[in-house]
Structure formats: C-alpha cells, structure tokens
Amino acid sequence: MNKLVKRQKIRYRIRKKVSGTSQKPRLSVFRSNTDIYVQLIDDVSGKTLAAASSKDKDIAAQKGTRIEKSKLVGLAIARKATELGINIIIFDRGGNLYHGRVKSVADGAREGGLQF
C-alpha cells in the first residue's frame, strides 16, 4: 500500500471521531512539501471560519525554516480565531504524525492563546 493511501485511511479514521462546531471548531492542518495550510472549520454548517497558510504575504516575507514559518502560521490562525471570539478548538492533524511542522503549528496556536 502506498504512503498516500495509508495517510488517507488515517485521515478517515480521525474524521470519524473529530468534528467541529461553531463554538468549538476543528483546526485542520494540511502539509505539502513546501507549505502548510490551516483552517478553522465548523462541520455542522460545513463552513470555513478562518484560514491561514505559509503563503500569506506577511509569513512568506519572513526568513526562516519551514518549521519556524509553521509556528507563524499557528500564531496567525490563533489571532484570527480570537478576533472571532474563539479560544477552544479541536486539533485535526490531517493524518500526519504529530511532530515537526504539524507540532510547530500546534505550539504556535497554543502560544497565541488557543486551547485544545
């Protein structure tokens, strides 16, 4: 079984258990080879409440490694969430292992004031 199919199965297994609401949205992480994207999702209404990525102008302009930029993405999504009045979230690692860039996003979000 190839790596992408395995990861997709893990994602489906996680999504069976993890669901977000408007009060407690799901923080979904997508990690590509070069960039990282996060979204706050309300699964009840099927809407994205806020999003941030390493391609945002203020983050892309920063110098640093991908892990450092991932932490900035976590801080950016935390700032957007607090503007919406959200401080508790559910973390969805998207089938990736919880280390490296995914962990860095979580650490940045916690530093920004989100709880999960």
Side-chain angles (χ1 to χ4, degrees), residues 40-58:
L40 285 175
I41 302 171
D42 174 8
D43 289 314
V44 175
S45 63
K47 293 187 178 177
T48 298
L49 305 174
S53 76
S54 57
K55 286 190 170 186
D56 292 348
K57 288 183 182 178
D58 56 338

Side-chain angles (χ1 to χ4, degrees), residues 26-95:
R26 175 171 57 98
L27 179 70
S28 176
V29 177
F30 175 75
R31 182 182 62 94
S32 72
N33 284 339
T34 56
D35 296 301
I36 195 152
Y37 308 86
V38 293
Q39 297 180 50
L40 285 175
I41 302 171
D42 174 8
D43 289 314
V44 175
S45 63
K47 293 187 178 177
T48 298
L49 305 174
S53 76
S54 57
K55 286 190 170 186
D56 292 348
K57 288 183 182 178
D58 56 338
I59 296 172
Q62 299 283 331
K63 297 272 187 196
T65 64
R66 293 183 299 176
I67 290 178
E68 291 166 353
K69 287 187 179 185
S70 297
K71 190 167 192 172
L72 294 175
V73 171
L75 287 167
I77 198 71
R79 187 173 58 251
K80 290 179 182 181
T82 52
E83 288 172 3
L84 294 171
I86 299 166
N87 60 359
I88 299 174
I89 59 162
I90 299 170
F91 191 73
D92 177 9
R93 59 189 171 89

